[in-house]
Every structure is written in structure tokens, then in C-alpha cells.
Amino acid sequence: MIKILHNPRCGKSREGMSLLEESGKPFEVIKYLDKPLTEKELTSLIQKLKIAPIDLVRQKEKIWIEQFKGKSLSDSAIIKAIATNPILMERPIVISENKAVIGRPPQKIIDFLKH
């Protein structure tokens, strides 16, 4: 089943949710701010996205700027930072069994659903 990591307060995340609803495909909504992903889940997600952990970070978030910007962080330290501060994670993210996509721009979700 398709899943979406969703933040209802984010316009892009709401747009991604609309695209999934329009597709007619069944999907599960995961409000990751209410139930943050574990470090293990984040590691698996990063592998499905085929990106480096830093590419999952919203680097303009206040928490990132105040606590992490300019520091030399290992991949595991970045994953730990996201697990501890889930607001740092890019959104929305659409996940299928073995792949995932960050829905920015939303067209990426449309392309993802075609495959």
C-alpha cells in the first residue's frame, strides 16, 4: 500500500495528499510529527529515496539553523537529528513497498504514481 508522510499544516503536503486522493489508489496517511519515524525507519526511507541523509533535511528550519548549520555531521548524526526533530524532514514523502519520492515539486508524485 502507498503511504504518505504528511504534515497537515504544510501546503505542499496538502497538495500531495490531494494528488493521492485524485489517483483513486488506496493509501495510508502517516502524520510523522505526531508519530516520528525511528532512526531505523529513517535509514530505510533514505535508502528507498536513494538520497544522502542531508538531502532529507529542511535546512531552512529554525531548529536546523540554530543547532546544526555549519557543523560537520555524520550521516548517522543527521538521521538522529531528524528522528529527534521530525519537523526537519522534507515533506511530503510518498512511499511504496520498495521506493519513495519527496513530493517537491508535486509533479514528482504524479510521476511516481504512474510507475
Side-chain angles (χ1 to χ4, degrees):
M1 175 179 286
I2 295 171
K3 297 178 182 178
I4 182 170
L5 298 177
H6 178 58
N7 175 351
R9 295 182 65 194
C10 171
K12 292 286 184 206
S13 197
R14 290 191 305 269
E15 194 173 340
M17 185 91 122
S18 292
L19 290 171
L20 283 175
E21 288 167 351
E22 289 169 17
S23 78
K25 295 182 180 188
F27 65 95
E28 176 185 352
V29 178
I30 299 169
K31 293 182 181 175
Y32 67 92
L33 294 178
D34 296 339
K35 186 181 178 286
L37 276 63
T38 65
E39 290 178 44
K40 185 177 178 182
E41 290 169 328
L42 284 166
T43 299
S44 173
L45 176 61
I46 288 163
Q47 290 170 345
K48 287 179 183 179
L49 287 165
K50 297 183 172 125
I51 61 172
I54 191 66
D55 296 329
L56 189 57
V57 174
R58 295 174 54 85
Q59 296 184 42
K60 293 181 181 173
E61 281 291 337
K62 185 177 179 187
I63 293 169
W64 182 262
I65 293 167
E66 291 176 352
Q67 296 182 25
F68 305 103
K69 187 177 178 180
K71 294 182 180 177
S72 180
L73 300 171
S74 67
D75 285 352
S76 62
I78 293 168
I79 291 168
K80 187 178 198 78
I82 298 169
T84 306
N85 305 284
I87 194 74
L88 292 176
M89 190 168 62
E90 281 288 359
R91 60 192 178 251
I93 299 175
V94 177
I95 307 164
S96 69
E97 192 142 329
N98 54 12
K99 62 182 181 170
V101 66
I102 297 171
R104 287 178 174 267
Q107 181 63 40
K108 288 185 174 184
I109 294 173
I110 294 168
D111 295 342
F112 181 85
L113 292 171
K114 289 178 184 174
H115 295 100

